[in-house]
Structure formats: structure tokens, C-alpha cells
Amino acid sequence: MSQYLSLLLDCPVVIAAIFIAGIGGTFQYGFSVSVLTSPSVFIKELVNNTCQQRYGLSLEQWQVSLIWSFTVSIFCIGGLLGSMVVGPLMSKYGRKQCLLLNNFVAIFGALLMLFSQKATSFEMIMAGRFLYGINAGVSLSAHTMYLVECAPKRLRGMVGVTISTFISLGKFCGQLLGISELLGTEQRWPWLLGFNGFTALLQLSTLPFLPESPSFLLLNRGDREACDKALKRLWGDKDYTREVEEMMKEKAAMQNVRNHTVMELIQNQNVRWQLITILITFTGLQLCGINAVYFYSFDVFRAAGIQEGQLRYAALGTGLCEVSTSIGCFMIIENMGKKVLLFRGYMGMSVTLVLLTITLFLKTHISWMPYCSMVLIFMFIFCFACGPSGIIAPLPGEIFTQSFKSAAYTLACTLNWTGLFVLGMLFPVLVENLGYFCFLIFLFFCTVCGLHVRFNVPETKHKSALEIAADFDRMHRKSGESKKQSTEQGLNGVKTCETRF
């Protein structure tokens, strides 16, 4: 661990890129996911006041709930739109420029949030949430690809974990700022919802001082000189000849090849197993049960004797657990390996879900069982944060070559947002009909994802996209092929898939 940490400390500009890209990147997503919990009562009251002042109508409870549900869900619709447009934008304008322009979307959304109460307009909150969704959809891909391409190959696992760390930090900050002692009051809640604008301003004022992604400069723009300057600024006066040679090999394989579309990615047989891996892991990321565990945590805390007024502080404990575990994953990932952490994380989550279902079933029969459930909740969050949460986000940028990356991120984020939206719609129905037995559904997805990683995904640590492609081919080659033949076919397969269109 100390070896890799020393390597990172020798690259201060990479450290700056982690914090600057993160605060205006995936932090926005995490904050927006958790921030509406605290001011929900005040927003519903604004909905009623708006209709009374404008139309002289007093809405019934089900009507307010319907408007509230749409306000929450429109964030996912915006996110889906953002994830669909970000690929072409990154390919044309670059990762850094895409992040910079994306901040204006968040700032405009924040202004709508800040003035919604004075204007007595809940529609402004809806529009702001939609813009926040677009911002989050763009930043999930742009932030991830920018960091992965700026980091040295030996540190990509460690740097990639910070993407989920900022998601967790965003969730925790949304919970923390939402308490009544800070911004979760009837007078200050618009400032809580508008907080995304301040983080966007912070990134907008600092990101211009960082270089563009070296991979983008060399592979997309063909500017070797700009690539060398960017590498020197990011990594210092070090020998990065090997990394440049690998990028040049990839550039040679991409000669006269344009960036592929999502449909071309789906149709290409040479990257079939990489595509299957993205489909399974990103679907599993939303259907692993983390949202269900957070939902049931309040019932468990109540059963354990925590006072109703103290539940918000107990919820802060779950958010803090996810942040601290993600930081721990950051420290160990380069030694443990991504495949090991991902497999163990999914298997640990599977075991925990089984035990949690049992303890929730027995909580009314045995007095001390809620305490076991509480421990299992923190264990589940621990397994999630040190496995799927920290490793899956940067995966498309690691296992696909440059011409497929934008399409892969577009597909992955579309799956992420669609899963989040569908889960938001179906989860209340599942809870109402199945109760805590809904964990068994999530158990299935955790187990499938874990087994797929174990038997079908190679280790990606310290490897280039071409080497990973060869490893995928080696794992799934027909019996009887020699190791040498498989390696050659893996490399040739990448070149074929690059020149095929």
C-alpha cells in the first residue's frame, strides 16, 4: 500500500485532478440522490401552497404524493438524457471541456432551486431536478473517463475508487446538511437544494488549470506534443515511455477508425465478453439491494430502541460507513486486485442478505435480534463500498479500447439510470407485497454478478486495454488452442474490431 501511495504523492497534479473532478463530478450525483429526504415535508407544503394561490385548490394527499414522486423521478429522466448525449460530446470536445460546460447546467438548476420558494413554484424544483439529472448523467461518464485516462496505469485502480468515494461523500453531505441544525429548516431548505451550484462554481474556477486527458489528445486529436505536455504536468519528470508506447500501439490499431456507436458496440462480436460484463455489472450495481438496505435501516434502528428524533443521526452513521469504507478500498485496491475485491464484495453481500432476511424475520420473536440486523446493515454497506461501488464505475474505460470507450460509457450509464428509475418505481410495490423477503430478489443479482466476475472476467490491474482484450479471449477460447495462439488472436481481435467499421 505504501508503495502505491508514495507513487500517488509523487503526482500532485493527479491528486488535484481527483478532488477538482470529483467535487463537480460524481459528488453531484451522490448529493442529489440523498438531498430530498430532509426537505420533503417543506416541498410538499410548497406544492399545496402553489395550487391554492394559483388555482384556489387544496390537493388531496394522493395528488401531493404523485407530484412528489414525479419530482423525485425526473432526476433519473434527466440523468438518462445526459448519459445518452455525453459520449458524442466527449469524443468531439474532450473530457475536460465536457466537464467545464456541464457546470453551467448545474448552476442554472441551482438558481431555479434557490428562487422556487419565493416564486411559490414547485415546477421550478422539477425543472431544477431535471437539470441536476442531466448534469449528473454527463458527469458520471466524463469524470470517470477523465480520471482514468489521467492516472498512471499502476494507479488507475486506486484513482478509479475515488469516483465512488465522491458519490458516497455526496450522499453523506446531503444527509449532513439536511439536518435541522444546518440547512434542513423551513427557511433554509432552498439553499440546501441549491448547494450543487456552489460545487459547480468551485470546479468551474479550478478545472481550467488542469490539462486535458493525454489519451484523448493523442488518440482522438493525434497531437503527440500536447499529449507529452499533459503527461509531464500530470506525472512530473518521470519516464512514461512505456505508457506512451502502449497508447501508440492502440493508435496504430485505430488508424483511420472513428469512434463507434452504441449499436456498433452491441453488434461487434470481438468485444462480446466485455459487453456482457458491462451489462451484468451495471445492472447488478442498481439491483444489488443497497437501496433496500438503506430503506429498512430506519425500521431496524427503531426496533433497536433508537428514538425517532435520533434516527437522522443513525442514518448519518450509514453514510459515514460508506465513505470510510470507500477510502479503505482506495488504500488496498492496488495490492488486493480489482477482481478479488469485486468477487468478495458480491459474495459478502449475498451472505449478508441471507442473514439479514433471517434476522428481520425473527426480530419480533427475539428481543436482541434487531441489534444483529443493525450490524448486518453496516456489514452490507461495508461489502458494497469496498467491492462493486468502488470498482464498477471506471470499468468501461479499462476493458474497452479508445474507439469503444464513449459508447461503452453511454451504454453503462444508460443501464445505471434506467435501473435507478425502474427500481424507484417498483421498489414500493416490492416492499408492500414481499416485505423484507424482497432481499431474496437482490440476493439473486448479487450471486449472479459475483459468479460472472469469478469465472468470466480477468484481472485488470496494471494492464492496458489491449492486454485485457487478450485476457478475455484467453479465458473464453475454444479448448485445444495454445496460449500463444490465444494471445495473438486477442490482440488481432482488437485490431479487427477497430478496423471492421
Side-chain angles (χ1 to χ4, degrees):
M1 179 188 74
S2 58
Q3 173 193 0
Y4 296 106
L5 193 57
S6 298
L7 287 172
L8 183 61
L9 292 175
D10 287 338
C11 304
V13 180
V14 174
I15 297 175
I18 289 172
F19 284 95
I20 293 172
I23 200 66
T26 53
F27 177 92
Q28 304 282 50
Y29 169 80
F31 190 87
S32 297
V33 165
S34 67
V35 73
L36 280 188
T37 303
S38 174
S40 59
V41 176
F42 308 124
I43 296 174
K44 290 176 182 178
E45 186 178 338
L46 177 65
V47 171
N48 248 328
N49 292 339
T50 301
C51 292
Q52 285 178 347
Q53 290 186 20
R54 197 179 296 166
Y55 310 112
L57 296 174
S58 182
L59 298 179
E60 296 182 20
Q61 184 61 40
W62 70 268
Q63 293 172 315
V64 174
S65 298
L66 183 63
I67 294 173
W68 167 252
S69 297
F70 184 74
T71 303
V72 174
S73 301
I74 200 171
F75 175 72
C76 297
I77 299 173
L80 182 60
L81 178 61
S83 67
M84 293 175 69
V85 301
V86 67
L89 289 176
M90 285 193 296
S91 298
K92 184 175 182 179
Y93 298 107
R95 290 62 163 131
K96 175 185 168 182
Q97 195 71 16
C98 196
L99 281 171
L100 281 171
L101 295 174
N102 192 37
N103 288 307
F104 291 103
V105 179
I107 292 169
F108 187 50
L111 290 174
L112 291 173
M113 296 291 194
L114 287 171
F115 292 107
S116 60
Q117 188 181 39
K118 287 187 177 181
T120 317
S121 172
F122 67 86
E123 295 92 345
M124 291 175 69
I125 297 178
M126 287 184 179
R129 284 284 290 178
F130 179 71
L131 291 175
Y132 279 174
I134 294 176
N135 171 265
V138 171
S139 65
L140 276 173
S141 294
H143 171 204
T144 303
M145 195 178 292
Y146 179 71
L147 271 192
V148 168
E149 293 181 354
C150 285
K153 188 170 71 170
R154 296 186 67 189
L155 296 176
R156 280 177 190 163
M158 180 179 280
V159 172
V161 170
T162 65
I163 296 160
S164 65
T165 301
F166 275 94
I167 294 177
S168 304
L169 185 61
K171 291 179 184 177
F172 177 71
C173 287
Q175 294 171 331
L176 180 62
L177 293 177
I179 64 175
S180 57
E181 290 83 356
L182 295 176
L183 298 179
T185 66
E186 189 173 1
Q187 293 75 31
R188 295 192 291 266
W189 66 263
W191 293 96
L192 174 65
L193 298 187
F195 186 78
N196 297 65
F198 295 102
T199 54
L201 280 171
L202 180 59
Q203 186 184 80
L204 191 62
S205 60
T206 53
L207 188 60
F209 297 101
L210 296 176
E212 179 56 271
S213 153
S215 296
F216 173 80
L217 292 171
L218 180 62
L219 300 179
N220 289 70
R221 291 186 176 169
D223 193 338
R224 173 66 185 269
E225 184 179 352
C227 174
D228 287 336
K229 288 181 179 178
L231 286 172
K232 189 173 182 179
R233 285 188 62 192
L234 286 164
W235 301 352
D237 292 321
K238 298 181 177 67
D239 182 17
Y240 44 81
T241 308
R242 184 178 177 184
E243 282 83 356
V244 174
E245 287 177 353
E246 288 175 352
M247 284 192 283
M248 291 302 294
K249 287 180 182 178
E250 192 171 337
K251 181 175 175 59
M254 287 175 54
Q255 202 67 33
N256 300 321
V257 176
R258 58 181 171 79
N259 286 311
H260 297 300
T261 65
V262 173
M263 187 56 64
E264 289 170 344
L265 170 64
I266 293 172
Q267 293 174 345
N268 197 302
Q269 293 296 315
N270 294 291
V271 290
R272 179 184 59 181
W273 281 102
Q274 289 93 317
L275 175 63
I276 292 173
T277 298
I278 293 301
L279 293 175
I280 291 177
T281 54
F282 274 85
T283 301
L285 188 63
Q286 288 300 332
L287 300 179
C288 66
I290 186 66
N291 296 312
V293 169
Y294 273 119
F295 177 83
Y296 270 99
S297 64
F298 284 92
D299 288 339
V300 171
F301 293 149
R302 287 191 191 97
I306 296 176
Q307 303 277 335
E308 193 70 28
Q310 305 299 316
L311 285 175
R312 53 188 176 176
Y313 302 110
L316 281 177
T318 59
L320 186 60
C321 174
E322 187 172 343
V323 173
S324 58
T325 305
S326 183
I327 294 173
C329 180
F330 167 82
M331 303 298 288
I332 66 173
I333 186 169
E334 295 296 354
N335 287 324
M336 294 285 292
K338 301 171 189 177
K339 177 175 180 175
V340 173
L341 284 176
L342 195 55
F343 172 68
R344 291 181 180 178
Y346 272 125
M347 291 298 100
M349 291 161 67
S350 300
V351 173
T352 306
L353 286 176
V354 173
L355 296 175
L356 188 57
T357 304
I358 295 171
T359 57
L360 287 173
F361 176 75
L362 296 174
K363 71 177 182 180
T364 55
H365 301 86
I366 304 174
S367 60
W368 48 265
M369 198 55 69
Y371 299 101
C372 295
S373 299
M374 190 160 56
V375 172
L376 289 170
I377 284 173
F378 283 99
M379 285 180 59
F380 186 89
I381 294 171
F382 173 84
C383 293
F384 173 76
C386 70
S389 176
I391 296 168
I392 290 177
L395 200 58
E398 296 178 350
I399 66 176
F400 284 97
T401 52
Q402 192 76 6
S403 62
F404 283 106
K405 280 184 183 179
S406 294
Y409 272 111
T410 299
L411 180 62
C413 289
T414 300
L415 285 170
N416 182 72
W417 286 106
T418 304
L420 186 63
F421 180 78
V422 171
L423 188 64
M425 294 291 100
L426 295 181
F427 182 66
V429 179
L430 291 175
V431 171
E432 184 178 348
N433 291 278
L434 299 176
Y436 45 79
F437 287 106
C438 69
F439 286 135
L440 299 179
I441 298 175
F442 303 123
L443 168 65
F444 168 78
F445 286 100
C446 285
T447 305
V448 169
C449 288
L451 293 177
H452 174 77
V453 169
R454 173 65 179 83
F455 295 106
N456 296 302
V457 180
E459 177 58 68
T460 62
K461 184 176 71 171
H462 304 164
K463 293 179 181 178
S464 67
L466 292 176
E467 291 170 334
I468 294 170
D471 286 343
F472 266 108
D473 185 75
R474 187 181 300 116
M475 289 185 73
H476 303 289
R477 71 184 187 274
K478 295 179 181 179
S479 59
E481 289 184 354
S482 67
K483 183 177 181 180
K484 181 178 179 181
Q485 288 174 328
S486 176
T487 304
E488 291 174 351
Q489 286 180 358
L491 293 171
N492 292 333
V494 175
K495 295 179 181 179
T496 301
C497 73
E498 299 292 357
T499 56
R500 197 170 161 182
F501 295 96

Coordinates of all heavy atoms in Angstrom, one line a residue, residues 13 25 47 88 174 268 340 453:
V13 N -0.4 16.8 -9.2 CA -1.5 17.3 -10.2 C -2.5 16.2 -10.3 O -3.7 16.6 -10.5 CB -0.8 17.7 -11.5 CG1 -1.9 18.2 -12.5 CG2 0.2 18.7 -11.3
G25 N -18.1 16.4 -10.1 CA -18.4 15.3 -10.9 C -19.4 14.4 -10.2 O -20.6 14.7 -10.0
V47 N -46.0 22.6 -2.7 CA -46.9 22.1 -3.8 C -48.3 22.5 -3.5 O -49.1 23.0 -4.3 CB -46.8 20.6 -3.9 CG1 -47.9 20.0 -4.9 CG2 -45.4 20.2 -4.4
P88 N -21.0 11.4 -27.5 CA -20.5 12.2 -28.6 C -19.9 13.5 -28.2 O -19.0 14.0 -28.9 CB -21.9 12.5 -29.4 CG -22.8 11.4 -29.0 CD -22.4 11.0 -27.6
G174 N -25.3 15.3 1.7 CA -26.7 15.6 1.6 C -27.4 15.3 2.8 O -28.4 16.0 3.3
N268 N -20.7 -5.9 -32.4 CA -19.4 -6.4 -32.6 C -19.1 -7.6 -31.8 O -19.1 -7.6 -30.6 CB -18.4 -5.3 -32.3 CG -17.0 -5.5 -32.9 OD1 -16.4 -6.6 -32.6 ND2 -16.5 -4.6 -33.7
V340 N -10.6 -9.6 -7.3 CA -10.7 -10.2 -6.0 C -11.7 -9.4 -5.1 O -12.6 -10.0 -4.5 CB -9.3 -10.3 -5.3 CG1 -9.5 -10.8 -3.8 CG2 -8.4 -11.3 -6.0
V453 N -18.1 -12.5 -12.4 CA -16.8 -11.9 -12.2 C -15.7 -13.0 -11.9 O -14.6 -13.0 -12.5 CB -16.8 -10.9 -11.0 CG1 -15.4 -10.5 -10.6 CG2 -17.6 -9.7 -11.4

